[in-house]
C-alpha cells in the first residue's frame, strides 16, 4: 500500500518551487498535485494521456476544448488526451489532484 497526506504533498511541492508534484507513478497511471494561486496563469498544454482533475481546494474556471465550467472544492473534471484545457479566472488558490492514464511521460 502507498498512502499520502495532502499537507505533506503540498509542503514537498512548495519546497521544490514548482506548480506540479508527481507523487505516484504506476504501470497504468500517475497522480500528482497541481497548484495555481489566485490570479496566476495556467501554462499547461494538451497532454498525450487521459486526465482527471479532482479539486481539493480553491475556485476557478476551466475550459476544456470549447466548454467552460466553474470548479471548486469537490469538482471532478475529465479531459481527454490531446484536448486543449486551462484553468483561468482563479479567484482562490487552487489545489488539484491530477490523475493521468497511462502515466504522464
Amino acid at each position: 500500500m502507498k498512502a499520502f497526506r495532502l499537507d505533506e504533498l503540498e509542503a514537498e511541492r512548495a519546497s521544490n518551487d514548482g506548480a506540479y508534484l508527481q507523487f505516484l507513478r504506476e504501470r497504468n497511471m500517475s497522480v500528482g498535485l497541481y497548484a495555481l494561486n489566485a490570479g496566476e496563469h495556467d501554462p499547461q498544454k494538451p497532454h498525450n494521456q487521459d486526465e482527471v482533475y479532482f479539486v481539493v481546494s480553491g475556485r476557478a474556471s476551466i475550459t476544456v476544448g470549447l466548454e467552460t465550467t466553474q470548479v471548486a472544492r469537490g469538482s471532478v473534471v475529465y479531459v481527454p488526451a490531446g484536448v486543449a484545457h486551462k484553468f483561468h479566472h482563479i479567484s482562490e488558490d487552487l489545489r488539484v489532484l491530477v490523475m493521468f492514464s497511462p502515466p504522464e511521460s
Side-chain angles (χ1 to χ4, degrees), residues 18-69:
Y20 183 72
L21 170 71
Q22 184 183 90
F23 61 88
L24 179 65
R25 184 179 181 84
E26 297 295 331
R27 185 171 56 92
N28 293 317
M29 66 178 292
S30 62
V31 183
L33 177 64
Y34 190 43
L36 293 166
N37 291 328
E40 277 191 321
H41 168 75
D42 182 2
Q44 65 179 318
K45 303 206 180 323
H47 307 284
N48 295 322
Q49 305 84 1
D50 286 341
E51 183 176 11
V52 173
Y53 289 115
F54 174 75
V55 178
V56 175
S57 62
R59 291 185 177 281
S61 296
I62 186 171
T63 298
V64 178
L66 300 175
E67 297 180 84
T68 298
T69 192

